[in-house]
Amino acid sequence: MTKMNRAKLVKNTISLIILLVLGLMAFIPLYWMVVTALKPPTLVLKFPPEIFPKNPTLMNFRQLLQRPYVLRWTFNSAVVAGSVTAVRIILCAMAGYAIAKKRFPGARLFFWIYIASMMIPNQVTLIPLYIIVSNLRMINTYWGLILPSVAAPFGVFLMRQFMVTLPDEIIEAARIDGASEFQTFWKIIFPISKPAIAVLGIFTFVNEWNDFLWPLIVTNTTAMKTLQAGLVMIREEIPMEYALHMASATYAAIPMLIVFFAFQRYFLQGITVGAIK
Amino acid sequence: MNLLRKIYKARYGYFFLLPHFILFLIFFLIPVGSGVYLSLFDYNVFSKTFIGLENYKEIFNDWLFKKALVNTFIYTFGVVPLWLGKALLVTVLIYPFRKPIKTFFKTIFYLPHVTSSVIISLIWLWIFNPNFGLLNYFMKLMGLNPVIWLGNKLTAMPSLIAMQVIMGGGSTIVLLSAAMASIPEYYFEAAKIEGANSWKIFSKITVPLLKPTILYALVMGTIANFQTFSNIYVMTQGGPEFSTITVAYLVYTTAFRDYNLGLASAMSMVMFVILVGLGIVQFKWLGSNVQY
């Protein structure tokens, strides 16, 4: 018995060592971002580098916020990510409800179109999408930043998968109680779909905040850029200010880290949502 | 008439579906359909002329496109196996531990995943910095010469691949862990009683039962990495000497820098066909004997 315990102990120790090494490799870069951001710019170039900063300072963040457009980019990112999330939740819940619970000619066909579309890489739609958005005069507007993301098929699929598990009796009961179609959806279906809505909302918000390619293409003035594109622009303008780069990266990462820790349960329960990095 | 009545009776179905579907049609389905069409045109700022398959002929005679294609394959086949292997390894290793330890490691591996690829790229530019970067500091500590990681055409691509593998895997670990938790524990117990060693259990029980999830992760991971863009844009702009140029980056520069939209469309069509092909191969290869 003790022999078995010892074997188990050795095995667990080896497992932990491997996990810690791999975990540290992924964690050190994030740590280094924050630490660099907290150092005065002159200390950043010191050799050997200070692994633990002795005199942390917020001066890089102050400098960052004093730069033109930084607050505007933050506002843009918040507006875009917030609007996409809100509109997407409502429209996808409605469409998911229709496909899951309503019987109408073509319902199955719509479902299969949505499913097949999820496998299409977004590079394929990029250029035609740009031309359409440009024809609709939406280049460099919030509409152009928001609407194409709302249209993505995944949310409908997710909501449908959840709603199909809801018993038909609750809809029937609402109807007998005299609720209109819209009331049934808004007062009954929408509230009980909270778990799926939370997942869709959280992942949409994070993905939109972090998105880079589409905002890069669809905006053409500095004022309309989102934070991600703005960070790249700061680096291009002042390539040697490493402390400021890391402060800007930390600044853009903090809202997502807050979202992550606030909704950790949803992220770690393993729902097949979002792209794989 | 009959169909119209049916449609009228089911009007609430459409009422709930259409708001999203109209946006989906305009901003997704029509773009998907018109990609092929656009690739048949010489489409630039000044004109739009039908030229048939000329764009395809041009890209297949273009050394830069071929280079980008080869690079994209190297990148994808460099990243995907290592990243998936890492995810599998971590999943199996954290499985026996208690929940707080599992959550701790899942959190650590997931953190880079909520951080945008632009931010990750900026961090690694700083780590790879030849003069003041953390990596060259470690190299010096070990008595090695500093390396110009991203400035050398031999090390640039491997550096990008390593970065992706080191930072990636979080969501796959979560996904695989969830799948593994749904395997009945007595499968493992029984195998242990039969005297199977860890490798046997891993290869004969864990992997086969996780197959659907592995397949999903493999297909999605291939699609995502094949389109890699942000890290190239931020870190190397395809250089040095085009050693890190990828198809997605070339599509971007062709379309939005040179404004040659038809040619760029043809490139993304080629990419699409390759991805469909890879998807089919992966399903054929892993999809057999999958029980859902």
Side-chain angles (χ1 to χ4, degrees):
Chain A
M1 205 57 206
T2 45
K3 204 177 171 187
M4 267 209 24
N5 274 340
R6 188 175 301 159
K8 203 177 164 195
L9 192 70
V10 170
K11 212 171 142 187
N12 281 353
T13 314
I14 294 173
S15 297
L16 273 182
I17 290 171
I18 297 173
L19 286 169
L20 280 174
V21 169
L22 288 174
L24 272 177
M25 283 165 78
F27 185 72
I28 286 175
L30 299 180
Y31 172 79
W32 199 234
M33 164 183 84
V34 177
V35 166
T36 309
L38 292 174
K39 286 181 192 172
T42 44
L43 259 183
V44 163
L45 305 182
K46 203 180 110 181
F47 203 87
E50 270 180 16
I51 303 294
F52 307 100
K54 283 190 203 93
N55 301 307
T57 165
L58 291 174
M59 64 187 286
N60 296 314
F61 291 96
R62 208 177 308 134
Q63 209 200 326
L64 174 74
L65 292 174
Q66 280 163 1
R67 285 187 69 82
Y69 295 116
V70 169
L71 290 175
R72 176 66 198 267
W73 295 333
T74 314
F75 174 78
N76 290 347
S77 284
V79 166
V80 171
S83 317
V84 171
T85 307
V87 180
R88 203 170 176 215
I89 283 175
I90 293 171
L91 296 193
C92 290
M94 286 170 66
Y97 173 58
I99 293 175
K101 290 295 178 195
K102 293 281 163 196
R103 281 193 190 82
F104 56 94
R108 280 196 74 78
L109 179 69
F110 282 115
F111 180 52
W112 284 109
I113 294 175
Y114 275 110
I115 286 199
S117 300
M118 291 198 311
M119 299 297 285
I120 293 174
N122 39 12
Q123 280 285 336
V124 173
T125 59
L126 196 66
I127 293 162
L129 185 60
Y130 173 80
I131 293 170
I132 286 171
V133 169
S134 157
N135 288 337
L136 293 171
R137 305 258 175 277
M138 287 182 186
I139 296 291
N140 215 37
T141 65
Y142 287 115
W143 293 112
L145 283 161
I146 293 166
L147 290 181
S149 303
V150 173
F154 182 79
V156 175
F157 174 72
L158 182 79
M159 297 310 293
R160 184 262 173 202
Q161 292 305 81
F162 181 83
M163 287 175 177
V164 98
T165 64
L166 299 176
D168 286 328
E169 284 76 18
I170 49 171
I171 300 167
E172 197 59 28
R175 215 175 50 115
I176 290 166
D177 287 347
S180 70
E181 290 277 352
F182 191 72
Q183 280 171 330
T184 309
F185 171 74
W186 192 243
K187 297 254 166 76
I188 313 278
I189 301 294
F190 199 75
I192 49 175
S193 302
K194 233 172 88 187
I197 288 169
V199 168
L200 180 62
I202 293 162
F203 281 88
T204 303
F205 190 77
V206 171
N207 281 343
E208 287 308 306
W209 181 274
N210 287 342
D211 194 18
F212 175 61
L213 179 56
W214 181 247
L216 177 74
I217 290 168
V218 84
T219 60
N220 53 29
T221 60
T222 311
M224 276 308 287
K225 284 199 184 318
T226 59
L227 197 50
Q228 305 297 330
L231 299 189
V232 178
M233 217 176 144
I234 290 179
R235 195 193 90 85
E236 281 163 358
E237 276 172 18
I238 39 170
M240 308 294 271
E241 303 263 355
Y242 306 112
L244 190 70
H245 301 163
M246 290 305 102
S248 69
T250 310
Y251 173 74
I254 284 172
M256 294 306 102
L257 296 180
I258 292 172
V259 170
F260 175 74
F261 283 110
F263 299 102
Q264 203 180 13
R265 191 162 59 89
Y266 289 100
F267 285 99
L268 299 186
Q269 70 191 0
I271 285 180
T272 55
V273 179
I276 289 165
K277 243 189 203 171
Chain B
M1 229 35 229
N2 212 349
L3 184 69
L4 281 180
R5 188 172 307 142
K6 251 192 201 161
I7 288 175
Y8 180 75
K9 261 180 83 181
R11 64 192 179 280
Y12 285 105
Y14 300 105
F15 168 78
F16 284 112
L17 178 72
L18 283 181
H20 187 273
F21 190 78
I22 290 168
L23 288 179
F24 178 56
L25 185 70
I26 299 172
F27 296 109
F28 198 95
L29 292 181
I30 294 176
V32 168
S34 51
V36 185
Y37 173 79
L38 283 173
S39 72
L40 304 176
F41 286 84
D42 180 10
Y43 194 156
N44 54 47
V45 200
F46 311 106
S47 65
K48 184 182 173 188
T49 13
F50 182 82
I51 51 166
L53 295 175
E54 283 303 312
N55 282 328
Y56 291 93
K57 247 184 235 165
E58 187 176 336
I59 55 175
F60 281 110
N61 287 320
D62 179 12
W63 66 272
L64 190 56
F65 179 74
K66 283 185 223 162
K67 174 105 188 156
L69 208 52
V70 171
N71 283 343
T72 307
F73 271 102
I74 294 174
Y75 182 83
T76 308
F77 288 110
V79 169
V80 170
L82 289 173
W83 149 89
L84 197 55
K86 172 187 163 184
L88 256 176
L89 177 70
V90 171
T91 306
V92 172
L93 290 184
I94 60 173
Y95 178 77
F97 287 106
R98 277 178 297 126
K99 200 166 177 237
I101 299 179
K102 272 188 198 164
T103 307
F104 170 77
F105 280 112
K106 280 192 210 164
T107 303
I108 292 286
F109 287 109
Y110 207 94
L111 278 178
H113 213 273
V114 288
T115 319
S116 75
S117 39
V118 166
I119 294 174
I120 300 282
S121 301
L122 286 174
I123 298 172
W124 278 85
L125 264 180
W126 171 226
I127 290 175
F128 282 138
N129 186 294
N131 301 315
F132 312 106
L134 193 61
L135 195 56
N136 273 347
Y137 168 65
F138 288 143
M139 295 289 283
K140 268 181 212 163
L141 281 188
M142 291 187 291
L144 299 165
N145 284 329
V147 177
I148 309 172
W149 301 99
L150 299 172
N152 181 323
K153 64 175 179 175
L154 291 178
T155 51
M157 184 58 101
S159 301
L160 291 179
I161 292 172
M163 162 188 133
Q164 187 72 3
V165 173
I166 288 171
M167 303 308 278
S171 71
T172 313
I173 291 165
V174 167
L175 217 60
L176 288 169
S177 293
M180 199 158 164
S182 68
I183 300 174
E185 216 159 309
Y186 56 77
Y187 280 37
F188 300 110
E189 300 294 331
K192 259 182 226 159
I193 291 164
E194 298 279 324
N197 61 27
S198 302
W199 172 250
K200 265 261 159 66
I201 293 176
F202 176 74
S203 60
K204 298 284 181 204
I205 297 176
T206 315
V207 169
L209 287 171
L210 290 181
K211 236 177 169 185
T213 316
I214 294 174
L215 178 64
Y216 173 82
L218 181 69
V219 172
M220 298 311 269
T222 306
I223 293 176
N225 284 298
F226 209 83
Q227 301 181 82
T228 198
F229 172 80
S230 309
N231 49 354
I232 308 294
Y233 182 95
V234 177
M235 298 178 77
T236 65
Q237 291 85 45
E241 293 172 52
F242 303 107
S243 60
T244 59
I245 197 162
T246 60
V247 179
Y249 186 75
L250 190 60
V251 167
Y252 169 79
T253 53
T254 309
F256 301 106
R257 213 167 276 171
D258 311 338
Y259 217 77
N260 204 334
L261 294 171
L263 195 66
S265 290
M267 290 176 184
S268 28
M269 282 306 128
V270 172
M271 192 170 175
F272 183 41
V273 170
I274 293 172
L275 277 175
V276 170
L278 285 176
I280 291 171
V281 169
Q282 287 166 339
F283 269 102
K284 277 255 159 77
W285 179 46
L286 270 175
S288 53
N289 314 320
V290 166
Q291 289 168 7
Y292 292 95

